[in-house]
Amino acid sequence: MRGRFKILFGGASVLAVALTAGALIWISASGTPLRLHLVIAITLAIFLSLMLAAALMGLVFFSNESGHDQSAADEAARHDPDGWQDED
């Protein structure tokens, strides 16, 4: 399970670096001068947003595969048998 999480996170890292570089190249080609603060802001915004999204999606898959979701659903069904139930 953790191996797939590392692969997902590694792929997201490569994609984030590529998209950040692409955004900087595109902005530079449009004639906007690339000042240091602009480069830092764009790099942090794009890279950290994509990495956060990848981490959260990876945790969703990790939680599902590890059985934590099913144990939470079973516990909720035990406390409220007439409530929402997972349809597996």
Side-chain angles (χ1 to χ4, degrees):
M1 283 188 285
R2 290 186 179 156
R4 283 196 276 184
F5 182 75
K6 287 180 182 180
I7 291 171
L8 172 73
F9 211 66
S13 299
V14 170
L15 181 65
V17 167
L19 289 175
T20 301
L24 291 171
I25 291 168
W26 182 60
I27 290 172
S28 176
S30 71
T32 304
L34 289 179
R35 294 192 166 92
L36 178 64
H37 290 101
L38 179 65
V39 172
I40 292 171
I42 289 172
T43 301
L44 289 176
I46 294 173
F47 187 78
L48 293 178
S49 295
L50 290 174
M51 295 311 295
L52 177 64
L56 291 175
M57 286 303 297
L59 289 174
V60 167
F61 293 130
F62 185 71
S63 174
N64 183 37
E65 289 180 2
S66 67
H68 286 88
D69 291 348
Q70 188 60 44
S71 64
D74 294 343
E75 185 69 22
R78 192 177 66 119
H79 288 293
D80 186 15
D82 296 328
W84 177 85
Q85 293 183 5
D86 195 13
E87 297 180 19
D88 278 359

